[in-house]
Amino acid sequence: MIDYFKYAVDAEGICTLTIDQPDSTTNVMDQNFIDSFRAALERAIADQAVTGIILTSAKASFVAGADLKSLEATLTTKQDAKTLFDQCWGFSSLLRWMETAGKPIVAALNGPALGGGFEIALACHQRIVADVRSMVVGLPEVGVGLLPGAGGTQRTLRLLGVAKTLPLLLQGSQLKAEAALQAGWIHAVVPAEQLLAEAKNWLLAAPEALQPWDRKGFRVPGGSSPQQPDLAQLFMGTAAALQASTFHNLPAPLAITSCLYEGMQLPIDKALRVECKYFVKLNLDPVAGNMVRTVFINKTQADKLVRRPAGIETRKHVKIGVLGAGLMGAGVAFGAAQSGIEVVLIDRDQAAADKGKAYSETRLRRDIERGRSTPEKMEAILARIHPTTDYAQLKDVSLVVEAVFEDRGVKAEVFAQAEAMMPADAVLASNTSALPITGLAQSTQRPQNMVGLHFFSPVERMPLVEVIRGKQTSDTALAHALDFVGQLRKTPILVNDSRGFFTSRFIGAFINEGVTMVKEGIEPALIENAAKMSGYPVGTLSVSDEVGLDLAYKGAVQAQADLGPEHKAGSSVEIITTLVVDHGRHGRKNGKGFYDYAADGSKRLWPGLSSIWPLLPKARQPDVGEVQKRLIYAQLVDAARCMAEGVLTDPADGDIGGCFGVGFPIYLGGPFAMMDTVGIAQVVAECDRLAQTWDKERFAVPQLLRDMAAQGKTFYGPNRILAPALQVAL
Ligand code: NAI
């Protein structure tokens, strides 16, 4: 066992247990942690000289929570319920023993305490928190498909009552020190330098080593009977709201609610076992494993720029250029200026460039109104954005992001003007949504400097950037482009060049399938609801309207022009063309698309759809499950093709890109996680059936998937598949 706990007892009998995991910047709760925690506690409780215990950390944070790598391994391999229960109960019962062992114990939280770390604090008799900027406490487990399994649900319930606990746990709230104090989750906030002294003072006052719930006559605040009218109503409302928001695709929120419902009626010892039982249940559900891997492990690695080519010095971008101050250019300029980077923002005329800068001002004013920023900060950010028409100002930038119209000619024109002024080693990045980067690079002087940086709208809120490597893109340009994404604190995925790269192609498969169903006479409302029931944030037709039917139409025309008469347009192009060309329906932007949009912001499906594409009779409408399958499997096939073609070289890029960029249901963990969960052979069989029933081409699986099925391979796990292009391209 490696000991993570430093043990010190002072002259007044106060024992300080300092958590200090060796060779690590944080304390994570792995097996060594649990074993050494147990040993340290047993020693302190048995030590006659010790009258009280302070639990604190030597790191910047208190405890960073579970060791997610081993958690992923546990969650994604077959486990038996008994072993899992014993593990969970082992730790939960240790905390229960700690709070009932008879010696007062105070958690001195010097830095953030989330998840398991905060559960430890909740089992202490007193929680004192240092007033540091980074401080947050909370139980965010729901975000990765889990629940707090070491007493977090039961102790919060007994401290705060059901009504306050439900939102904290269902939203996985992370509270700053002051908010946690207000909520009653902690006892005191003190200056950092006084933290240990305050903890000691509390112990020296000889407090009783008893939790509120162990006192005689304890009652859960606000009541503990589900028959109590206000609580009955609360649970009914919560259950209904969960059904409406998750369609029961996410097991964790329901399990948390059940823990509270059952737990409030039980004594704490029994209630803790109930919590443990639900924790195990979630562990056995693939949702948690897939969410942990995609949301935490893969995303964290991507954030650390794991795909950055090695051996190239990091470039800290101090000044960049942005070409085109429209929706996207203005957003990129805002993000860069917020990250401390100077931005030359160029458009065709000064007014357009100024308008791009004004976008930042509007956003910042809103932030000030909401108390998230100050006028001084706003001024500093705005002072970094230099709107102009003068390309000469690009003479000392290290990177330029192009975000002008999606038109090859216009892009070539601005590339030429920029390249004439930019330093020879600056990166030229295009924010095109679909035009292949290799083709765009042909119109430049230095194609090796060209890379795709595909941002998503609205830039300030969307965490993903798809980084596209063209055929000639150099490792240096790629590395420096990734450095920029890192400075923006966004999550990059790395893909190889192709029309639509990964994300536009991938969402295109979803849109294409849904729109095609309209032509087949399937009820539009059925198509929309099937998507929402599957966990997509919006329906297919809605998303088409948001993107713009005119844009989709222009993209199709461009693809046909680029690829020649051999190219077979997608099955939805005919419908989009009819709507745009014959009916002037461009989507949300002109109030007319698949939906009609009213001035008050409401919308309803356009009744005219069924006059153009008559509905199938009721008896021939497919059931909702079949519509859901078509939408999801169309995307699975496309993801598999992207891997087979080497557009993707690692399933993690596809899963992160799908979930964080284009709304693939996050509880599925992404298309590759889903294929592994369903089983590759099963996916192939389902696609073959869909191909037979609906369309041979759209559901044709690539050979890669058949080979994987035959060989029993999975995308993740010990046989993790990496496309051959990884060796070629990276
Ligand atoms: P937009 O129409 O809002 O902005 C384009 C801007 O470029 C306008 O301000 C226009 O005046 C300027 N511009 C046009 N020609 C110019 C020239 N010759 N010199 C200087 N400036 C010029 O377009 P948006 O939506 O910002 O899109 C820009 C690019 O980003 C396109 O390639 C688009 O495909 C891509 N994109 C768009 C997304 C979206 O959600 N709107 C998402 C991801 C990528």
Side-chain angles (χ1 to χ4, degrees):
M1 177 187 86
I2 303 168
D3 197 354
Y4 289 8
F5 285 73
K6 294 213 171 93
Y7 191 94
V9 184
D10 67 13
E12 286 151 299
I14 304 301
C15 171
T16 305
L17 296 179
T18 309
I19 319 169
D20 192 6
Q21 181 173 343
D23 306 322
S24 171
T25 50
T26 54
N27 299 314
V28 291
M29 293 173 56
D30 55 14
Q31 196 55 47
N32 269 310
F33 179 98
I34 295 168
D35 292 344
S36 47
F37 186 31
R38 185 186 300 277
L41 280 177
E42 282 172 352
R43 184 174 163 194
I45 301 289
D47 192 335
Q48 299 286 329
V50 171
T51 55
I53 305 164
I54 299 175
L55 196 55
T56 192
S57 144
K59 314 288 190 199
S61 62
F62 178 65
V63 176
D67 171 27
L68 288 167
K69 269 225 146 65
S70 52
L71 189 63
E72 186 210 6
T74 313
L75 289 163
T76 51
T77 47
K78 274 230 162 335
Q79 301 280 326
D80 71 288
K82 170 86 175 71
T83 314
L84 283 171
F85 186 88
D86 289 347
Q87 272 170 11
C88 176
W89 186 241
F91 190 58
S92 186
S93 57
L94 174 66
L95 295 186
R96 181 67 184 138
W97 174 74
M98 175 177 91
E99 70 181 356
T100 52
K103 288 196 179 171
I105 176 157
V106 49
L109 304 181
N110 52 307
L114 296 170
F118 192 55
E119 289 187 285
I120 295 175
L122 284 168
C124 294
H125 304 103
Q126 182 79 356
R127 284 167 293 288
I128 304 184
V129 164
D131 190 9
V132 289
R133 260 175 67 100
S134 61
M135 179 58 74
V136 278
V137 302
L139 300 171
E141 285 85 345
V142 69
V144 290
L146 287 171
L147 59 77
T153 67
Q154 298 310 311
R155 292 194 177 88
T156 305
L157 166 72
R158 282 162 178 75
L159 272 176
L160 310 178
V162 187
K164 275 189 177 176
T165 302
L166 269 170
L168 283 176
L169 300 191
L170 293 181
Q171 288 155 27
S173 310
Q174 302 187 14
L175 302 189
K176 293 203 165 288
E178 211 39 57
L181 185 66
Q182 298 267 314
W185 231 355
I186 59 169
H187 298 97
V189 182
V190 300
E193 59 282 3
Q194 289 168 25
L195 180 69
L196 292 181
E198 291 290 340
K200 186 171 167 176
N201 281 344
W202 186 78
L203 289 172
L204 289 178
E208 213 181 344
L210 208 56
Q211 293 281 29
W213 41 90
D214 289 319
R215 289 180 193 280
K216 231 175 131 57
F218 169 77
R219 295 204 181 285
V220 175
S224 61
S225 162
Q227 272 84 45
Q228 193 177 304
D230 57 333
L231 295 184
Q233 214 167 32
L234 179 65
F235 277 110
M236 253 191 305
T238 303
L242 283 184
Q243 162 64 18
S245 62
T246 72
F247 292 96
H248 287 178
N249 290 320
L250 290 160
L254 204 59
I256 289 170
T257 311
S258 300
C259 271
L260 300 181
Y261 185 89
E262 293 176 39
M264 71 183 189
Q265 303 174 63
L266 295 169
I268 181 123
D269 291 290
K270 284 227 165 58
L272 288 172
R273 290 184 81 88
V274 167
E275 177 192 78
C276 204
K277 183 189 80 179
Y278 279 109
F279 181 77
V280 171
K281 192 163 176 252
L282 293 180
N283 269 261
L284 292 171
D285 195 310
V287 167
N290 286 333
M291 284 178 83
V292 166
R293 185 167 48 213
T294 300
V295 175
F296 253 104
I297 302 188
N298 289 347
K299 183 173 176 298
T300 306
Q301 291 205 325
D303 291 343
K304 289 186 183 156
L305 308 185
V306 66
R307 310 294 310 279
R308 187 183 187 279
I312 295 161
E313 209 177 313
T314 300
R315 174 160 254 179
K316 185 167 184 290
H317 298 280
V318 179
K319 184 173 180 183
I320 65 153
V322 175
L323 311 179
L327 180 71
M328 297 305 287
V332 173
F334 180 35
Q338 276 187 309
S339 305
I341 302 172
E342 297 287 326
V343 183
V344 178
L345 181 57
I346 296 182
D347 209 298
R348 288 179 293 191
D349 52 58
Q350 189 62 40
D354 289 341
K355 190 165 164 232
K357 179 172 175 172
Y359 178 87
S360 294
E361 190 171 342
T362 311
R363 292 284 168 293
L364 287 163
R365 285 203 188 284
R366 199 185 303 163
D367 284 352
I368 295 175
E369 274 165 30
R370 293 179 184 167
R372 293 201 204 118
S373 193
T374 59
E376 297 73 43
K377 278 190 196 150
M378 177 174 92
E379 286 313 318
I381 293 169
L382 290 178
R384 288 187 205 113
I385 304 177
H386 312 283
T388 181
T389 57
D390 177 15
Y391 282 79
Q393 291 197 30
L394 299 177
K395 65 177 188 314
D396 53 355
V397 299
S398 53
L399 179 141
V400 165
V401 179
E402 168 278 312
V404 298
F405 298 142
E406 186 80 338
D407 178 302
R408 229 182 272 279
V410 180
K411 290 193 190 289
E413 196 185 300
V414 298
F415 290 157
Q417 293 183 72
E419 272 193 315
M421 298 297 170
M422 291 158 61
D425 65 345
V427 178
L428 182 54
S430 175
N431 181 44
T432 171
S433 12
L435 299 172
I437 295 300
T438 309
L440 289 180
Q442 277 166 8
S443 67
T444 68
Q445 300 293 315
R446 298 183 284 267
Q448 71 279 9
N449 288 0
M450 176 103 205
V451 62
L453 279 185
H454 181 201
F455 288 85
F456 295 77
S457 173
V459 179
E460 64 272 19
R461 268 200 278 136
M462 295 294 282
L464 191 77
V465 182
E466 186 173 23
V467 182
I468 303 120
R469 173 175 207 150
K471 277 217 169 64
Q472 290 171 274
T473 306
S474 70
D475 276 358
T476 309
L478 194 62
H480 291 170
L482 283 162
D483 291 338
F484 176 56
V485 179
Q487 278 180 259
L488 297 181
R489 294 176 170 271
K490 294 204 179 281
T491 303
I493 58 166
L494 182 56
V495 311
N496 283 318
D497 202 10
S498 114
R499 184 169 294 271
F501 324 121
F502 170 65
T503 55
S504 300
R505 229 180 110 156
F506 182 66
I507 193 172
F510 168 71
I511 292 179
N512 190 57
E513 198 59 33
V515 171
T516 301
M517 288 189 229
V518 173
K519 186 168 72 176
E520 291 169 3
I522 295 175
E523 289 268 12
L526 176 61
I527 305 169
E528 294 297 79
N529 287 334
K532 280 190 254 166
M533 286 168 70
S534 301
Y536 290 93
V538 279
T540 321
L541 308 179
S542 230
V543 94
S544 310
D545 278 359
E546 294 295 333
V547 173
L549 302 182
D550 58 333
L551 272 190
Y553 168 69
K554 276 190 209 148
V557 171
Q558 179 79 58
Q560 197 70 55
D562 288 354
L563 302 172
E566 300 290 283
H567 171 65
K568 192 165 172 268
S571 50
S572 59
V573 170
E574 181 194 324
I575 307 158
I576 304 276
T577 307
T578 304
L579 289 172
V580 173
V581 177
D582 300 346
H583 298 273
R585 303 189 74 87
H586 293 185
R588 181 169 207 127
K589 62 179 74 159
N590 76 343
K592 295 187 295 184
F594 284 103
Y595 288 80
D596 277 328
Y597 296 85
D600 64 2
S602 64
K603 63 178 186 181
R604 62 181 199 119
L605 281 157
W606 181 43
L609 288 173
S610 58
S611 324
I612 313 175
W613 299 286
L615 292 177
L616 288 171
K618 277 263 175 290
R620 288 185 49 217
Q621 290 287 336
D623 70 31
V624 67
E626 182 71 351
V627 177
Q628 287 180 287
K629 279 231 168 89
R630 282 182 66 174
L631 293 173
I632 293 187
Y633 277 74
Q635 289 200 286
L636 296 189
V637 172
D638 196 59
R641 284 184 197 148
C642 283
M643 187 64 95
E645 292 165 18
V647 174
L648 289 175
T649 54
D650 186 324
D653 288 317
D655 283 346
I656 297 171
C659 292
F660 292 101
V662 289
F664 190 80
I666 212 151
Y667 71 92
L668 295 170
F672 295 103
M674 177 174 177
M675 284 191 267
D676 275 1
T677 304
V678 172
I680 306 294
Q682 190 59 39
V683 171
V684 170
E686 192 58 43
C687 288
D688 288 348
R689 184 190 70 77
L690 289 165
Q692 277 297 315
T693 318
W694 301 105
D695 187 273
K696 293 207 165 34
E697 283 177 22
R698 290 203 308 279
F699 292 103
V701 295
Q703 190 58 37
L704 170 80
L705 223 48
R706 291 195 194 280
D707 293 346
M708 286 176 68
Q711 295 157 13
K713 282 193 170 171
T714 51
F715 285 103
Y716 290 103
N719 299 324
R720 180 160 184 168
I721 169 126
L722 293 176
L726 185 63
Q727 282 89 48
V728 183
L730 296 176

